[in-house]
Amino acid sequence: MPESTHPTTVAGTHPFEAGLERRAANYVPLTPISLLARAAASFGARIAVIDGDRRLTYAQLDARCRRLASALARRGIGRLDTVAILASNIPEMVEAHFGVPMLGAVLNPLNTRLDPATIAFSLRHGGAKVFLVEAIHRELAARALAELPEPPLVVTIGGEGVADAVPYEALLDEGDPAAAWPGPEDEWQSLCLLYTSGTTGDPKGAVYSHRGAYLQALGNAVTFGLSGESVYLWTLPMFHCSGWSYPWACVAAGATQVCLRRVEPAEIFRLIAEHGVTHLCGAPIVLSMIAHAPIHERRAFEQTVRCAVGGAAPSSTIIRTMEELGFRVTHLYGATESYGPATACLAQPDWAELTQTQRYERMARQGVPLATLDAVMVADLETGAPLEKDGTRIGEIRLRGNTIMKGYLGNPSATERTLADGWYATGDLGVWHPDGAVEIKDRAKDIIISGGENISSLEVEEVLLRHPAVMLAAVVARPDETWGETPCAFLEAKPGAALPSTQELTAFCRERMARFKVPKTVVFGPLPKTSTGKIQKFVLRERARELR
């Protein structure tokens, strides 16, 4: 190999590096906080947040966030101190996502549907020094605070709060609306702490960085088509994965955010019609509520509403109904550990040639990586090597990139297990299709093994949801002396629907799937759900074991 002819200015230094160092002019740590500063400076008069009759422009939102940061700083809160918040989808929740990290502190949004002991654990484990509490959650907050030996400073948002709490607006009055914010010392600096809703043991606290949140905001905006004309409705809890990072994504695009405290179909339709909503996100249960809303609760609207759904794949029946109502569904996939969405099911040119049923099946896939995620793969369960993209072999879905969490707070062993070998191990089982899309077949613990045959509970649920009387379906394994396990279906009927018999459902399923996949047991009744609307299969597995 010939010697390099490039000159050197300093021994061992390449000319593309010598004298080309990072400077204040060409390198600024990435942070989503900069997105708000840009929005306020570029279109300050544009409406940023709508909450009932209340309106906040981008200039007002920026000023209130600076007041919050400044006031907290004057009360001794500084870099990497934790500020927790227990609130619904209200403007102050948006403000916290900017004002708290603005001063270098870490925001810890808490699930409003958790029990006091879990809230107390999160406050204690995260080391919260300030606790922002919406007044309607004061009783939950008070019971959690009673379990702490040294409670943090409590700030009440609206109405009567916890005893000795500081009113939120009074706190803001202490701050400076023009306060300068220094930005993170390093873009890897921690920004948010989000606790996972585990089914056993204490929840784990996933830690986000300024860099990751900034990139996720841009990835969401690009993937979901957000712009300055977009109106985003908060049907997704902002405490869940920091609202899938959409508080930052909406500001990045200059969109308007519409607050919604409770997911009620009538209110959703009203806000869509009155405010010209163009985008919303939610769990499958949200789509189901919209799709099955009574006629008298629906409102007509002219625009097409883009609807992103995460969690279990929406059934073809739900997708069809949503399209008929004026929604365009995009299926996303991700986790708390990936700042929310990591992949999206993006339409391909050849879909135009598919039948309606085939297109709905493609739409239910988990899809391809967001532009800001480095890679996704389906790994062999034994070797960890990438599987072929054949759409048949099942492996574990793994993710890698700048929008994967830093790790779990104070839990190095769990961090090592989850982020080993250069990938985030999701625990989800799926296949890899030739077009690069991944498709979940099940959680590893939800695969049913009957007589040596693997049965995907999701596949069985998809068939059951096609029945006109079924609104929700969850299939789990039930112990069986002969087969080891058999599918057990728990079903929630549509309002007013006549319940089909087990024989009728069995016949319905046998026409649409292999006989060994047909549920041997069927139970109708309300399904247990998590605070984010996911069906609690671990509860149903216990019920299935107890059935006689």
Side-chain angles (χ1 to χ4, degrees), residues 446 448 457-458 460-461 464 473-477 487-490 519 537 540:
D446 290 335
I448 302 165
S457 65
L458 298 182
V460 182
E461 289 163 6
L464 289 167
V475 176
V476 299
C488 177
F490 291 87
K537 284 195 170 182
L540 297 179

Side-chain angles (χ1 to χ4, degrees), residues 113-315:
R113 302 161 190 166
L114 293 177
D115 58 278
T118 304
I119 296 291
F121 168 84
S122 301
L123 294 171
R124 185 168 53 249
H125 184 265
K129 291 191 173 182
V130 178
F131 189 19
L132 308 176
V133 180
E134 185 183 6
I136 62 171
H137 302 298
R138 62 181 177 274
E139 291 185 11
L140 172 60
R143 292 174 62 188
L145 290 167
E147 298 188 24
L148 301 179
E150 296 182 14
L153 170 68
V154 180
V155 178
T156 298
I157 303 170
E160 182 181 351
V162 179
D164 300 322
V166 176
Y168 182 83
E169 293 300 326
L171 177 69
L172 260 59
D173 287 342
E174 300 175 12
D176 180 0
W181 55 276
E185 297 178 7
D186 186 303
E187 58 188 23
W188 186 244
Q189 183 174 311
S190 298
L191 167 88
C192 265
L193 171 65
L194 285 306
Y195 283 95
T196 61
S197 53
T199 57
T200 58
D202 291 326
K204 298 188 292 291
V207 179
Y208 293 177
S209 71
H210 282 256
R211 173 184 178 82
Y214 178 92
L215 293 171
Q216 183 71 14
L218 299 186
N220 283 347
V222 170
T223 302
F224 207 22
L226 293 175
S227 71
E229 287 71 48
S230 300
V231 180
Y232 181 89
L233 177 61
W234 275 109
T235 50
L236 173 79
M238 264 188 261
F239 60 67
H240 184 49
C241 308
S242 277
W244 293 358
S245 300
Y246 274 96
W248 304 308
C250 289
V251 172
T256 297
Q257 302 179 57
V258 180
C259 294
L260 176 68
R261 285 163 172 77
R262 296 185 63 183
V263 177
E264 298 172 339
E267 185 67 359
I268 290 173
F269 276 101
R270 183 186 72 81
L271 293 173
I272 289 174
E274 293 185 5
H275 296 299
V277 168
T278 59
H279 295 75
L280 60 84
C281 297
I285 185 65
V286 175
L287 269 67
S288 182
M289 292 173 67
I290 294 173
H292 296 114
I295 298 296
H296 69 272
E297 292 186 354
R298 299 177 183 177
R299 292 273 295 273
F301 49 89
E302 297 181 357
Q303 75 279 14
T304 297
V305 180
R306 295 193 60 174
C307 178
V309 57
S315 70

